[in-house]
Amino acid sequence: MITIQWYPGHMTKAKRAMKEDIRLVDLIIELVDARAPLSSRNPDMDDLGKGKARLILLNKSDLADERENESWITYFSGLGYQVVKMNCRTGAGLKQINGAVLEACKEKLERDKRKGILNRPIRAMVVGIPNVGKSTFINAFAGKACAKTGNKPGVTKGNQWIKLNKNLELLDTPGILWPRFEDQEVGLKLAYIGSINDEILNKEELALSLIQFLMEEYPDVLKERYQTEEEQPVLIFQQIAKIRGCLKKGGEYDLNRAANLFFDDFRSGKLGRITLERPASA
């Protein structure tokens, strides 16, 4: 089993700041990766967010198996969360968010009304693990570039308030993981989707592990993308290297380069819509 741990020092500081700021908000908007909705949820958030209204955004839903998207919406709704599936890059699902925010904060708004407090904006903290798309979501939702974005984990380093309109203010927070993955399957899935710094990973081992998963759950995607009928992960991996032209002098396979290209294919959706876990696993 591949062992994965990644918890840079700035995450400890970010978690402390989050604990301080959570007292100031009415709502927690939590982004998860639709390909691994359970593994990409920081378990600390349920503790930190006690008593707060909750909204879960299934981001990158265009990359996930559509049947499983619906299953996860049913699962999280059953736990009492408001849920919206979306794609921050294209803006799909953004129009549903204002309604979901109002629904999530219905009790708070009714309390304010009874006390005679009118027009006080809802303050929401946006949380999520690294590279899940928080800053892209905020920029798309606000309609302007007000949060730093990047295609690698750890771009947002500090908390920043963003006033969207007179009814809603957002607090952007850095992506934080938790100090230890008790289940290494969780670490694996986060490595697959790019939420762990690639530089600390053995990409060749990781590629073999993902190939094994795809052989079991989505066997046709490997056959279609890489024209392979092989039935062993190592031989499929070699075929990927061959078909993508990853050869060194003397004809030896360049498996490191092949692994990088393979993960590019997976993360960009070129292998098709793939979900790494199902609600039954919860």
Side-chain angles (χ1 to χ4, degrees), residues 53-264:
R54 302 293 293 272
L55 167 59
I56 287 185
L57 303 182
L58 284 172
N59 192 27
K60 307 186 184 183
S61 59
D62 57 311
L63 300 175
D65 190 324
E66 184 56 24
R67 287 168 307 178
E68 301 304 334
N69 285 341
E70 296 305 320
S71 299
W72 281 108
I73 288 171
T74 302
Y75 171 78
F76 286 124
S77 299
L79 294 177
Y81 299 108
Q82 290 297 311
V83 193
V84 175
K85 70 175 179 183
M86 63 177 304
N87 176 358
C88 295
R89 286 180 299 105
T90 65
L94 280 177
K95 289 180 180 171
Q96 299 173 46
I97 291 173
N98 278 318
V101 166
L102 292 175
E103 188 61 34
C105 294
K106 191 161 67 174
E107 286 181 23
K108 177 253 178 211
L109 293 170
E110 285 171 359
R111 276 198 312 273
D112 282 359
K113 196 174 177 183
R114 286 196 298 271
K115 292 175 185 173
I117 303 169
L118 301 173
N119 303 321
R120 186 170 80 81
I122 291 168
R123 303 186 98 190
M125 178 183 278
V126 182
V127 303
I129 66 168
N131 212 27
V132 81
K134 294 182 307 304
S135 299
T136 305
F137 155 66
I138 288 172
N139 291 338
F141 196 34
K144 57 184 182 288
C146 45
K148 291 178 187 172
T149 62
N151 63 356
K152 62 180 182 178
V155 172
T156 305
K157 287 290 197 296
N159 295 359
Q160 53 177 327
W161 281 101
I162 294 131
K163 187 168 183 176
L164 293 194
N165 51 52
K166 63 181 181 8
N167 299 318
L168 183 60
E169 295 175 6
L170 298 182
L171 178 60
D172 187 19
T173 62
I176 59 170
L177 293 167
W178 49 108
R180 183 173 177 77
F181 302 130
E182 297 299 335
D183 180 358
Q184 276 301 309
E185 284 292 323
V186 169
L188 270 180
K189 290 167 191 168
L190 297 185
Y192 294 160
I193 62 177
S195 289
I196 304 286
N197 186 343
D198 276 343
E199 291 169 14
I200 71 158
L201 300 170
N202 182 324
K203 294 289 279 291
E204 294 173 35
E205 279 187 20
L206 204 63
L208 285 169
S209 172
L210 180 54
I211 289 167
Q212 180 71 51
F213 170 83
L214 294 173
M215 286 172 66
E216 293 165 9
E217 301 292 336
Y218 295 92
D220 291 343
V221 304
L222 294 168
K223 291 175 185 174
E224 288 167 15
R225 180 71 179 166
Y226 304 114
Q227 292 101 60
T228 179
E229 294 294 330
E230 299 291 355
E231 295 184 355
Q232 292 180 33
V234 172
L235 297 178
I236 292 172
F237 194 15
Q238 290 174 349
Q239 172 68 3
I240 293 170
K242 184 177 173 184
I243 206 165
R244 297 303 300 271
C246 300
L247 299 171
K248 298 177 182 175
K249 284 181 182 175
E252 186 187 343
Y253 296 117
D254 187 342
L255 294 178
N256 187 54
R257 186 162 158 249
N260 285 321
L261 292 172
F262 172 60
F263 277 105
D264 286 346

